[in-house]
Amino acid sequence: MRTVGHFIGGKEVEGKSGRFADVFEPMTGEVKAKVALATKAELRAAVENAKAAQPEWGATNPQRRARVLMKFLELVQRDYDKLAELLAREHGKTIPDAKGDIQRGLEVAEFACGIPHLMKGEYTEGAGPGIDIYSMRQPLGVVAGITPFNFPAMIPMWKFAPAIACGNAFILKPSERDPGVPMALAALMLEAGLPPGILNVVNGDKEAVDAILDDPDIKAVGFVGSSPIAQYIYERAAQTGKRAQCFGGAKNHAIIMPDADIDQTVDALIGAGYGSAGERCMAISVAVPVGKATADALMDKLIPRVEALKIGPSTDPTADYGPLVTKEALERVKNYVDIGVKEGATLAVDGRGFKMQGYENGFYMGGCLFDNVTKDMRIYKEEIFGPVLSVVRAHDYAEALSLPSDHDYGNGVAIFTRDGDAARDFAAKVNVGMVGINVPIPVPIAYYTFGGWKKSGFGDLNQHGPDSVRFYTKTKTVTSRWPSGVKEGAEFSIPLMK
Ligand code: NAD
């Protein structure tokens, strides 16, 4: 059986803890690898390597640092098919979807290639008599990223590409469910010319995470995962004075106005609700039709489409979506459907009994669709993270606007309408971090920033885009005056710019 160790100091090293986690192939349900779970000492070895390598990398000019990323982009393109297949086999998503996972990560690496420009400081000549002021951005040193199972290529790249471009050394703790692609990406960064020790991958569970959080040499931590863990990471990281940005779970609503193009909206809901088996933080999990006529028309069209979803193994290029990541995930999602039925929601399509012929041990689930879901139900309040869409009927626009605004989560939201006035009002007023107008999954492009509000994001600054450079650097401001600008005599009151 394949074992996955750690990537420390520029090479794969075996795990020494004797503790391993199973890495499944969700489409067959078989265990295909064992991933080592690091101890505190193994994490510390990675930090020592990173600390030793960082000063020289931080002093390397930004153009040279960017060139390593440019080469990395080329190498990922070379290995695209191989990486996508490995990703699909460990995660369960289909190969075309796995390619998208890699592509959205690469776009952030492309953005980070602009680091010579992005890291430029500011300069003011003559801020006072003979006084010039300038600011510069400097790397933090050693920083870390802790990432979830659902985007094993994209989210690690969102973290390490800008951090490394800024001159930091990076410790990545990917999800223990699908560690293969993060390890392969680290090897490609080395092949691209990154010095050993600048990108380390430490596989593990809570023990490795806690070691990261408590390590005084790690200056910042970027986390993506579920909200309770995001909040825990945020609070514990603060105890050692780290910067922390921790992105959590989601309950993304789609508002369907009476004037929306219903066929386009149904296409959008089917893709955004059930793609990747609903295991996306930007999946639409709640549809809110406004008015009874809109709701009835929507349900008439949605039901046959959910019933017709094509579920298949990850290697079937014609499948709409593949299995869930683990048996536990499958059982948790099915349990939520049971809860919804008990709570009194109408289960319009029931996918709980779905079996994939020839893959009976895989973690498959058919699409489920609930109607008449209400605000007080657990299936509305909690994140399900599976192929389940809940329809909450709103009487009017004001009620529809209040639903995502008052919800605990605030990651993404969408409105479907032809009315520019309503769309503009919604975008301005809704209390959610990312908004789509006739766009169901409004993941901002790499040169904008990504981040949710409320329980979907703890800490300051978003991921990727200009915020990533702010997060992974500290600003120093220099005020200078040369002898020709100095007045005679000492000044005892606070200096003012005259
Ligand atoms: P998770 O919270 O279980 O795990 C995320 C990371 O935290 C993993 O690396 C894991 O090893 C670690 N971890 C898990 N339990 C821990 C504990 N008790 N102590 C310390 N570390 C722990 O999340 P997941 O199941 O891998 O991913 C799915 C979740 O991620 C969903 O809630 C989804 O919405 C969210 N997500 C959010 C975004 C976003 O940008 N907001 C993006 C993708 C996924």
Side-chain angles (χ1 to χ4, degrees), residues 146-151 155 158 173-176 204-206 209-210 223-227 229 232-233 247-250 280-281 383 385 411 450 456 463:
I146 301 163
T147 55
F149 80 84
N150 69 326
F151 282 100
I155 295 179
W158 283 10
K173 206 306 281 174
S175 170
E176 58 274 46
D205 55 5
K206 184 169 165 50
V209 170
D210 287 349
F223 172 86
V224 180
S226 57
S227 291
I229 310 295
Y232 166 75
I233 305 270
F247 300 95
R280 288 183 184 138
C281 68
E383 183 181 43
F385 222 54
N411 213 37
F450 178 111
S456 299
Q463 315 190 73

Side-chain angles (χ1 to χ4, degrees), residues 170-251:
F170 198 87
I171 313 278
L172 173 66
K173 206 306 281 174
S175 170
E176 58 274 46
R177 312 253 174 272
D178 41 18
V181 171
M183 290 289 281
L185 294 175
L188 290 179
M189 283 289 275
L190 190 80
E191 192 182 338
L194 191 72
I198 297 299
L199 176 55
N200 304 279
V201 183
V202 175
N203 284 303
D205 55 5
K206 184 169 165 50
E207 184 172 342
V209 170
D210 287 349
I212 289 174
L213 298 176
D214 296 343
D215 196 298
D217 286 322
I218 296 179
K219 301 298 176 196
V221 57
F223 172 86
V224 180
S226 57
S227 291
I229 310 295
Q231 184 166 359
Y232 166 75
I233 305 270
Y234 181 61
E235 289 168 1
R236 188 150 171 174
Q239 288 167 21
T240 44
K242 293 185 201 339
R243 283 187 188 183
Q245 51 171 206
C246 304
F247 300 95
K251 198 79 179 176

Side-chain angles (χ1 to χ4, degrees), residues 60-189:
T60 302
N61 79 51
Q63 229 171 326
R64 285 182 184 275
R65 296 202 301 259
R67 280 186 202 133
V68 171
L69 283 171
M70 288 175 200
K71 184 70 190 170
F72 170 72
L73 295 175
E74 227 179 274
L75 297 177
V76 176
Q77 295 291 349
R78 182 195 69 192
D79 292 354
Y80 221 128
D81 291 340
K82 210 168 68 185
L83 289 167
E85 178 154 356
L86 174 62
L87 196 161
R89 284 185 182 274
E90 285 190 355
H91 175 284
K93 62 178 76 175
T94 63
I95 288 177
D97 198 23
K99 288 187 172 168
D101 186 333
I102 298 168
Q103 178 60 26
R104 289 305 295 251
L106 280 184
E107 288 168 8
V108 171
E110 274 169 17
F111 169 79
C113 289
I115 201 66
H117 178 70
L118 294 167
M119 261 182 95
K120 281 196 300 200
E122 295 167 323
Y123 190 91
T124 302
E125 185 194 9
I131 294 179
D132 303 324
I133 303 184
Y134 60 96
S135 65
M136 54 178 117
R137 292 194 170 278
Q138 297 186 329
L140 301 175
V142 180
V143 298
I146 301 163
T147 55
F149 80 84
N150 69 326
F151 282 100
M154 179 181 88
I155 295 179
M157 284 192 261
W158 283 10
K159 302 282 176 208
F160 74 67
I164 288 173
C166 289
N168 299 290
F170 198 87
I171 313 278
L172 173 66
K173 206 306 281 174
S175 170
E176 58 274 46
R177 312 253 174 272
D178 41 18
V181 171
M183 290 289 281
L185 294 175
L188 290 179
M189 283 289 275

